[in-house]
Short mmCIF file of all heavy atoms in Angstrom, two decimals:
data_model
loop_
_atom_site.label_atom_id
_atom_site.label_comp_id
_atom_site.label_asym_id
_atom_site.label_seq_id
_atom_site.Cartn_x
_atom_site.Cartn_y
_atom_site.Cartn_z
N SER A 1303 6.19 -19.50 13.25
CA SER A 1303 5.87 -20.46 14.30
C SER A 1303 6.38 -19.95 15.67
O SER A 1303 5.68 -20.06 16.68
CB SER A 1303 6.52 -21.81 13.99
OG SER A 1303 5.99 -22.34 12.80
N LYS A 1304 7.59 -19.41 15.70
CA LYS A 1304 8.16 -18.91 16.92
C LYS A 1304 7.40 -17.70 17.47
O LYS A 1304 7.08 -17.63 18.69
CB LYS A 1304 9.62 -18.52 16.71
CG LYS A 1304 10.36 -18.13 17.97
CD LYS A 1304 11.83 -17.92 17.72
CE LYS A 1304 12.59 -17.53 18.99
NZ LYS A 1304 14.06 -17.38 18.74
N MET A 1305 7.04 -16.76 16.59
CA MET A 1305 6.26 -15.61 16.99
C MET A 1305 4.90 -16.02 17.59
O MET A 1305 4.47 -15.52 18.60
CB MET A 1305 6.06 -14.63 15.83
CG MET A 1305 7.27 -13.81 15.49
SD MET A 1305 6.92 -12.54 14.23
CE MET A 1305 5.90 -11.42 15.14
N PHE A 1306 4.26 -16.95 16.92
CA PHE A 1306 2.93 -17.38 17.35
C PHE A 1306 3.01 -18.06 18.68
O PHE A 1306 2.18 -17.82 19.59
CB PHE A 1306 2.32 -18.31 16.30
CG PHE A 1306 0.95 -18.79 16.69
CD1 PHE A 1306 -0.15 -17.95 16.57
CD2 PHE A 1306 0.73 -20.08 17.13
CE1 PHE A 1306 -1.43 -18.39 16.94
CE2 PHE A 1306 -0.53 -20.54 17.49
CZ PHE A 1306 -1.61 -19.65 17.40
N SER A 1307 4.00 -18.96 18.88
CA SER A 1307 4.09 -19.73 20.11
C SER A 1307 4.49 -18.83 21.31
O SER A 1307 4.06 -19.07 22.42
CB SER A 1307 5.12 -20.88 19.95
OG SER A 1307 6.41 -20.38 19.70
N GLN A 1308 5.36 -17.83 21.03
CA GLN A 1308 5.84 -17.01 22.14
C GLN A 1308 4.95 -15.78 22.43
O GLN A 1308 4.86 -15.35 23.57
CB GLN A 1308 7.28 -16.53 21.82
CG GLN A 1308 8.29 -17.66 21.83
CD GLN A 1308 9.72 -17.10 21.64
OE1 GLN A 1308 9.91 -15.93 21.30
NE2 GLN A 1308 10.71 -17.98 21.80
N GLU A 1309 4.33 -15.24 21.38
CA GLU A 1309 3.63 -13.97 21.57
C GLU A 1309 2.14 -14.00 21.17
O GLU A 1309 1.43 -13.04 21.42
CB GLU A 1309 4.33 -12.87 20.75
CG GLU A 1309 5.80 -12.72 21.13
CD GLU A 1309 6.53 -11.81 20.15
OE1 GLU A 1309 6.01 -10.72 19.83
OE2 GLU A 1309 7.64 -12.17 19.71
N GLY A 1310 1.73 -15.10 20.56
CA GLY A 1310 0.31 -15.20 20.18
C GLY A 1310 -0.01 -14.56 18.85
O GLY A 1310 0.80 -13.88 18.24
N LEU A 1311 -1.25 -14.73 18.42
CA LEU A 1311 -1.72 -14.22 17.15
C LEU A 1311 -1.63 -12.69 17.05
O LEU A 1311 -1.34 -12.11 16.01
CB LEU A 1311 -3.15 -14.64 16.90
CG LEU A 1311 -3.80 -14.21 15.60
CD1 LEU A 1311 -3.07 -14.83 14.38
CD2 LEU A 1311 -5.30 -14.61 15.57
N GLY A 1312 -1.83 -12.01 18.21
CA GLY A 1312 -1.78 -10.56 18.24
C GLY A 1312 -0.47 -9.94 17.75
O GLY A 1312 -0.48 -8.82 17.24
N ALA A 1313 0.62 -10.71 17.91
CA ALA A 1313 1.92 -10.21 17.51
C ALA A 1313 2.01 -9.95 16.03
O ALA A 1313 2.68 -9.03 15.57
CB ALA A 1313 3.03 -11.18 17.91
N PHE A 1314 1.24 -10.72 15.25
CA PHE A 1314 1.26 -10.57 13.79
C PHE A 1314 0.54 -9.31 13.35
O PHE A 1314 0.76 -8.79 12.27
CB PHE A 1314 0.62 -11.79 13.10
CG PHE A 1314 1.41 -13.04 13.28
CD1 PHE A 1314 0.88 -14.13 13.94
CD2 PHE A 1314 2.72 -13.14 12.78
CE1 PHE A 1314 1.62 -15.29 14.09
CE2 PHE A 1314 3.44 -14.31 12.92
CZ PHE A 1314 2.88 -15.38 13.59
N TYR A 1315 -0.37 -8.82 14.20
CA TYR A 1315 -1.18 -7.65 13.86
C TYR A 1315 -0.87 -6.45 14.76
O TYR A 1315 -1.64 -5.46 14.75
CB TYR A 1315 -2.66 -8.00 13.87
CG TYR A 1315 -3.04 -8.81 12.66
CD1 TYR A 1315 -3.09 -10.20 12.74
CD2 TYR A 1315 -3.35 -8.23 11.49
CE1 TYR A 1315 -3.41 -10.97 11.63
CE2 TYR A 1315 -3.68 -8.98 10.33
CZ TYR A 1315 -3.71 -10.35 10.43
OH TYR A 1315 -4.02 -11.11 9.33
N ALA A 1316 0.22 -6.50 15.51
CA ALA A 1316 0.59 -5.35 16.32
C ALA A 1316 0.87 -4.15 15.45
O ALA A 1316 0.65 -2.99 15.87
CB ALA A 1316 1.84 -5.69 17.15
N GLY A 1317 1.34 -4.39 14.25
CA GLY A 1317 1.64 -3.28 13.32
C GLY A 1317 0.53 -3.01 12.33
O GLY A 1317 0.76 -2.33 11.31
N PHE A 1318 -0.69 -3.55 12.58
CA PHE A 1318 -1.76 -3.35 11.60
C PHE A 1318 -2.16 -1.89 11.42
O PHE A 1318 -2.40 -1.41 10.33
CB PHE A 1318 -3.00 -4.17 12.00
CG PHE A 1318 -4.06 -4.22 10.93
CD1 PHE A 1318 -3.80 -4.73 9.65
CD2 PHE A 1318 -5.34 -3.71 11.19
CE1 PHE A 1318 -4.78 -4.74 8.67
CE2 PHE A 1318 -6.35 -3.74 10.18
CZ PHE A 1318 -6.05 -4.27 8.94
N GLY A 1319 -2.20 -1.16 12.55
CA GLY A 1319 -2.50 0.28 12.52
C GLY A 1319 -1.47 1.01 11.64
O GLY A 1319 -1.82 1.73 10.70
N PRO A 1320 -0.17 0.86 12.00
CA PRO A 1320 0.85 1.53 11.20
C PRO A 1320 0.89 1.07 9.72
O PRO A 1320 1.15 1.87 8.84
CB PRO A 1320 2.17 1.13 11.89
CG PRO A 1320 1.76 0.81 13.28
CD PRO A 1320 0.37 0.25 13.20
N ILE A 1321 0.59 -0.22 9.50
CA ILE A 1321 0.67 -0.69 8.12
C ILE A 1321 -0.49 -0.09 7.30
O ILE A 1321 -0.33 0.23 6.11
CB ILE A 1321 0.64 -2.25 8.05
CG1 ILE A 1321 1.42 -2.70 6.79
CG2 ILE A 1321 -0.71 -2.82 8.02
CD1 ILE A 1321 1.69 -4.20 6.75
N LEU A 1322 -1.66 0.08 7.93
CA LEU A 1322 -2.76 0.81 7.24
C LEU A 1322 -2.39 2.27 7.04
O LEU A 1322 -2.61 2.83 5.94
CB LEU A 1322 -4.02 0.72 8.08
CG LEU A 1322 -4.80 -0.59 8.06
CD1 LEU A 1322 -6.02 -0.46 9.00
CD2 LEU A 1322 -5.24 -0.96 6.69
N PHE A 1323 -1.81 2.88 8.04
CA PHE A 1323 -1.44 4.29 8.01
C PHE A 1323 -0.37 4.48 6.94
O PHE A 1323 -0.28 5.53 6.27
CB PHE A 1323 -0.92 4.72 9.34
CG PHE A 1323 -0.57 6.17 9.46
CD1 PHE A 1323 -1.42 7.15 9.03
CD2 PHE A 1323 0.65 6.56 10.02
CE1 PHE A 1323 -1.11 8.51 9.13
CE2 PHE A 1323 1.00 7.91 10.14
CZ PHE A 1323 0.11 8.87 9.68
N LYS A 1324 0.45 3.46 6.72
CA LYS A 1324 1.50 3.52 5.70
C LYS A 1324 0.95 3.15 4.34
O LYS A 1324 1.08 3.90 3.35
CB LYS A 1324 2.65 2.54 6.08
CG LYS A 1324 3.60 2.24 4.94
CD LYS A 1324 4.43 1.00 5.25
CE LYS A 1324 5.15 0.46 4.00
NZ LYS A 1324 5.87 -0.81 4.28
N GLN A 1325 0.30 1.98 4.23
CA GLN A 1325 -0.03 1.41 2.95
C GLN A 1325 -1.23 2.08 2.26
O GLN A 1325 -1.27 2.14 1.03
CB GLN A 1325 -0.29 -0.10 3.07
CG GLN A 1325 0.94 -0.91 3.34
CD GLN A 1325 1.88 -0.95 2.14
OE1 GLN A 1325 3.11 -0.81 2.29
NE2 GLN A 1325 1.34 -1.13 0.95
N VAL A 1326 -2.23 2.50 3.02
CA VAL A 1326 -3.42 3.11 2.38
C VAL A 1326 -3.06 4.40 1.67
O VAL A 1326 -3.32 4.57 0.48
CB VAL A 1326 -4.59 3.25 3.37
CG1 VAL A 1326 -5.70 4.06 2.75
CG2 VAL A 1326 -5.10 1.87 3.79
N PRO A 1327 -2.40 5.37 2.36
CA PRO A 1327 -1.97 6.57 1.64
C PRO A 1327 -0.97 6.26 0.52
O PRO A 1327 -1.00 6.88 -0.55
CB PRO A 1327 -1.32 7.45 2.70
CG PRO A 1327 -1.90 6.97 3.99
CD PRO A 1327 -2.08 5.49 3.79
N TYR A 1328 -0.12 5.30 0.79
CA TYR A 1328 0.89 4.88 -0.19
C TYR A 1328 0.17 4.41 -1.50
O TYR A 1328 0.54 4.82 -2.58
CB TYR A 1328 1.73 3.75 0.40
CG TYR A 1328 2.61 2.98 -0.56
CD1 TYR A 1328 3.92 3.34 -0.77
CD2 TYR A 1328 2.12 1.86 -1.24
CE1 TYR A 1328 4.74 2.62 -1.64
CE2 TYR A 1328 2.91 1.13 -2.10
CZ TYR A 1328 4.21 1.49 -2.29
OH TYR A 1328 5.01 0.80 -3.17
N THR A 1329 -0.79 3.50 -1.35
CA THR A 1329 -1.45 2.95 -2.49
C THR A 1329 -2.33 3.98 -3.18
O THR A 1329 -2.43 4.01 -4.42
CB THR A 1329 -2.27 1.72 -2.06
OG1 THR A 1329 -1.40 0.75 -1.51
CG2 THR A 1329 -3.02 1.13 -3.24
N MET A 1330 -2.98 4.85 -2.42
CA MET A 1330 -3.79 5.92 -3.00
C MET A 1330 -2.92 6.80 -3.86
O MET A 1330 -3.28 7.13 -5.02
CB MET A 1330 -4.51 6.70 -1.92
CG MET A 1330 -5.58 5.92 -1.18
SD MET A 1330 -6.19 6.73 0.31
CE MET A 1330 -7.24 8.01 -0.42
N ALA A 1331 -1.77 7.21 -3.33
CA ALA A 1331 -0.88 8.09 -4.10
C ALA A 1331 -0.30 7.34 -5.30
O ALA A 1331 -0.22 7.89 -6.42
CB ALA A 1331 0.29 8.57 -3.20
N LYS A 1332 0.03 6.09 -5.10
CA LYS A 1332 0.62 5.27 -6.16
C LYS A 1332 -0.31 5.13 -7.38
O LYS A 1332 0.07 5.42 -8.52
CB LYS A 1332 0.91 3.87 -5.57
CG LYS A 1332 1.30 2.80 -6.58
CD LYS A 1332 1.58 1.52 -5.78
CE LYS A 1332 1.75 0.31 -6.70
NZ LYS A 1332 2.11 -0.88 -5.93
N PHE A 1333 -1.55 4.78 -7.13
CA PHE A 1333 -2.48 4.55 -8.25
C PHE A 1333 -2.93 5.88 -8.88
O PHE A 1333 -3.02 5.99 -10.07
CB PHE A 1333 -3.70 3.75 -7.79
CG PHE A 1333 -3.45 2.27 -7.78
CD1 PHE A 1333 -3.46 1.56 -6.59
CD2 PHE A 1333 -3.22 1.58 -8.94
CE1 PHE A 1333 -3.24 0.19 -6.57
CE2 PHE A 1333 -3.00 0.19 -8.94
CZ PHE A 1333 -3.01 -0.50 -7.75
N VAL A 1334 -3.24 6.85 -8.04
CA VAL A 1334 -3.75 8.14 -8.57
C VAL A 1334 -2.66 8.84 -9.41
O VAL A 1334 -2.95 9.28 -10.50
CB VAL A 1334 -4.25 9.06 -7.43
CG1 VAL A 1334 -4.56 10.46 -7.96
CG2 VAL A 1334 -5.52 8.48 -6.83
N VAL A 1335 -1.46 8.93 -8.86
CA VAL A 1335 -0.40 9.61 -9.61
C VAL A 1335 -0.10 8.84 -10.90
O VAL A 1335 0.05 9.44 -11.99
CB VAL A 1335 0.85 9.77 -8.73
CG1 VAL A 1335 2.03 10.32 -9.55
CG2 VAL A 1335 0.56 10.70 -7.58
N TYR A 1336 -0.04 7.51 -10.80
CA TYR A 1336 0.20 6.74 -12.03
C TYR A 1336 -0.89 6.96 -13.05
O TYR A 1336 -0.60 7.27 -14.24
CB TYR A 1336 0.26 5.24 -11.73
CG TYR A 1336 0.23 4.39 -12.98
CD1 TYR A 1336 1.37 4.19 -13.72
CD2 TYR A 1336 -0.97 3.82 -13.41
CE1 TYR A 1336 1.36 3.45 -14.90
CE2 TYR A 1336 -0.99 3.07 -14.60
CZ TYR A 1336 0.17 2.90 -15.33
OH TYR A 1336 0.12 2.20 -16.49
N GLU A 1337 -2.13 6.89 -12.66
CA GLU A 1337 -3.24 7.07 -13.57
C GLU A 1337 -3.21 8.44 -14.24
O GLU A 1337 -3.43 8.59 -15.46
CB GLU A 1337 -4.59 6.90 -12.84
CG GLU A 1337 -4.81 5.50 -12.25
CD GLU A 1337 -5.50 4.53 -13.21
OE1 GLU A 1337 -5.47 4.78 -14.42
OE2 GLU A 1337 -6.08 3.55 -12.72
N LYS A 1338 -2.98 9.48 -13.41
CA LYS A 1338 -3.01 10.88 -13.94
C LYS A 1338 -1.84 11.13 -14.87
O LYS A 1338 -2.00 11.80 -15.91
CB LYS A 1338 -3.03 11.88 -12.80
CG LYS A 1338 -4.17 11.70 -11.81
CD LYS A 1338 -5.54 11.73 -12.45
CE LYS A 1338 -6.03 13.10 -12.75
NZ LYS A 1338 -7.42 13.16 -13.22
N VAL A 1339 -0.65 10.68 -14.52
CA VAL A 1339 0.51 10.88 -15.38
C VAL A 1339 0.35 10.14 -16.70
O VAL A 1339 0.55 10.69 -17.79
CB VAL A 1339 1.80 10.46 -14.66
CG1 VAL A 1339 3.01 10.53 -15.64
CG2 VAL A 1339 2.08 11.37 -13.47
N ALA A 1340 -0.05 8.83 -16.60
CA ALA A 1340 -0.20 8.05 -17.84
C ALA A 1340 -1.33 8.64 -18.72
O ALA A 1340 -1.22 8.71 -19.92
CB ALA A 1340 -0.53 6.62 -17.45
N GLU A 1341 -2.39 9.08 -18.06
CA GLU A 1341 -3.51 9.68 -18.78
C GLU A 1341 -3.07 10.92 -19.51
O GLU A 1341 -3.46 11.15 -20.71
CB GLU A 1341 -4.63 10.03 -17.77
CG GLU A 1341 -5.93 10.51 -18.37
CD GLU A 1341 -6.93 10.83 -17.29
OE1 GLU A 1341 -7.13 9.94 -16.40
OE2 GLU A 1341 -7.53 11.92 -17.31
N ALA A 1342 -2.27 11.76 -18.87
CA ALA A 1342 -1.79 12.99 -19.52
C ALA A 1342 -0.92 12.66 -20.73
O ALA A 1342 -1.01 13.34 -21.77
CB ALA A 1342 -1.01 13.82 -18.48
N VAL A 1343 -0.06 11.69 -20.58
CA VAL A 1343 0.84 11.31 -21.68
C VAL A 1343 0.03 10.73 -22.84
O VAL A 1343 0.20 11.13 -24.02
CB VAL A 1343 1.88 10.28 -21.22
CG1 VAL A 1343 2.70 9.75 -22.42
CG2 VAL A 1343 2.83 10.91 -20.17
N PHE A 1344 -0.89 9.81 -22.52
CA PHE A 1344 -1.68 9.16 -23.60
C PHE A 1344 -2.68 10.11 -24.24
O PHE A 1344 -3.13 9.86 -25.37
CB PHE A 1344 -2.37 7.92 -23.06
CG PHE A 1344 -1.47 6.79 -22.73
CD1 PHE A 1344 -1.56 6.09 -21.55
CD2 PHE A 1344 -0.46 6.42 -23.63
CE1 PHE A 1344 -0.71 5.03 -21.24
CE2 PHE A 1344 0.42 5.38 -23.35
CZ PHE A 1344 0.28 4.68 -22.16
N ARG A 1345 -3.05 11.20 -23.54
CA ARG A 1345 -3.90 12.19 -24.14
C ARG A 1345 -3.18 12.95 -25.24
O ARG A 1345 -3.73 13.27 -26.28
CB ARG A 1345 -4.40 13.17 -23.09
CG ARG A 1345 -5.48 14.15 -23.65
CD ARG A 1345 -5.91 15.15 -22.57
NE ARG A 1345 -6.56 14.51 -21.45
CZ ARG A 1345 -6.06 14.55 -20.20
NH1 ARG A 1345 -4.95 15.19 -19.94
NH2 ARG A 1345 -6.72 13.95 -19.24
N LYS A 1346 -1.89 13.21 -25.00
CA LYS A 1346 -1.09 13.94 -26.00
C LYS A 1346 -0.55 13.00 -27.06
O LYS A 1346 -0.46 13.37 -28.25
CB LYS A 1346 0.04 14.64 -25.31
CG LYS A 1346 0.85 15.56 -26.22
CD LYS A 1346 1.81 16.46 -25.44
CE LYS A 1346 2.48 17.46 -26.34
NZ LYS A 1346 3.41 18.35 -25.58
N TYR A 1347 -0.17 11.79 -26.67
CA TYR A 1347 0.35 10.80 -27.58
C TYR A 1347 -0.52 9.56 -27.51
O TYR A 1347 -0.28 8.72 -26.64
CB TYR A 1347 1.81 10.46 -27.28
CG TYR A 1347 2.72 11.68 -27.22
CD1 TYR A 1347 3.08 12.26 -25.98
CD2 TYR A 1347 3.18 12.28 -28.37
CE1 TYR A 1347 3.89 13.35 -25.94
CE2 TYR A 1347 4.02 13.40 -28.33
CZ TYR A 1347 4.36 13.94 -27.11
OH TYR A 1347 5.17 15.05 -27.06
#
């Protein structure tokens, strides 16, 4: 409420660029590495 009243809606998305830059590669690495590691293990066992 305080952020919205003092700085407007834009304050909530000032970090949208960085959060995309952070979270998209993060999630891509997270899912791909998990899938590949689990796949390799389950292929052998």
